[in-house]
Amino acid sequence: MVAVKLPVQEAFPLKDHMVVLLMLLMLWLVRPRYPCHSRLSKSVDHVDHLVRLGVDAVWLSPFYPSALADGGYDVADYCDIDPLFGDLETFDRLVAAAHSRGLKLLLDFVPNHSSDQHVWFQEALAAGPGSPERDRYIFREGRGPHGDEPPNNWPSIFGGPAWHRVTEADGTPGQWYLHIFDETQPDF
């Protein structure tokens, strides 16, 4: 068997098995295969197991309230935890349990976009063009005589154009918003 040194191990000296454990835990938390309303609670219960295996840090994928259109990266509320995974009290217990055993927690934070269900985006749609609420996101007028074409030809990472046209409150076709990823993830 050949041992491969990963670039991350140069910056953070990790045990060889840690990278695999991180990825398994990340998938377990984000892509549940069966209903479970206490994923963070289960994680608290297994902190000692991770420490005994030599894990130094655990990467937690997004666990914020989300429609799960993109595995939790479509964040609807940055200040709460999706009930699918637990609650803030359980998260506080996980942090305390991990830190008391010298285990670090890395949170996968999504600062470049939100869910289209986020209160800020809903306010932006209701407020209309030129409003401070719209300025939180990247809205632009379309190209062409009636603004029927996206503002530019940028592609979305998920395919298709990176722009989606909204229907204004009065029912008319409106501005376009940028979504580098899924159309349910408008960019700030």
Side-chain angles (χ1 to χ4, degrees):
M1 177 179 273
V2 177
V4 177
K5 193 95 169 156
L6 299 173
V8 70
Q9 289 175 301
E10 300 295 327
F12 304 99
L14 307 174
K15 297 177 179 48
D16 291 335
H17 58 275
M18 176 159 165
V19 174
V20 173
L21 287 172
L22 284 174
M23 296 190 77
L24 288 174
L25 185 58
M26 178 179 68
L27 292 172
W28 176 65
L29 287 172
V30 169
R31 305 199 190 286
R33 295 183 187 273
Y34 53 89
C36 179
H37 300 288
S38 60
R39 299 225 175 255
L40 290 175
S41 179
K42 299 278 187 210
S43 298
V44 173
D45 296 342
H46 293 287
V47 167
D48 287 329
H49 298 127
L50 294 173
V51 171
R52 279 197 301 274
L53 288 170
V55 174
D56 298 308
V58 175
W59 177 0
L60 299 175
S61 289
F63 50 66
Y64 313 100
S66 165
L68 295 175
D70 182 21
Y73 287 89
D74 50 323
V75 179
D77 183 352
Y78 289 92
C79 299
D80 203 357
I81 294 176
D82 193 305
L84 175 68
F85 300 111
D87 55 33
L88 290 169
E89 180 183 327
T90 306
F91 176 68
D92 289 343
R93 286 189 308 133
L94 175 59
V95 171
H99 288 176
S100 72
R101 292 161 182 85
L103 190 62
K104 296 169 185 67
L105 293 178
L106 302 162
L107 301 183
D108 201 340
F109 180 67
V110 186
N112 61 305
H113 61 253
S114 72
S115 165
D116 60 357
Q117 301 304 305
H118 192 285
V119 66
W120 282 3
F121 190 69
Q122 294 301 309
E123 289 171 353
L125 293 177
S131 66
E133 292 83 1
R134 284 246 172 137
D135 285 344
R136 292 179 179 141
Y137 292 88
I138 302 173
F139 279 89
R140 298 290 183 267
E141 298 298 332
R143 293 180 296 151
H146 303 288
D148 292 336
E149 297 176 42
N152 59 38
N153 65 350
W154 294 353
S156 164
I157 298 292
F158 289 178
W163 296 92
H164 181 77
R165 194 169 196 186
V166 301
T167 301
E168 300 298 349
D170 65 3
T172 61
Q175 292 183 307
W176 297 73
Y177 67 84
L178 179 67
H179 62 88
I180 296 297
F181 295 93
D182 187 71
E183 121 181 1
T184 64
Q185 298 168 299
D187 285 84
F188 290 118

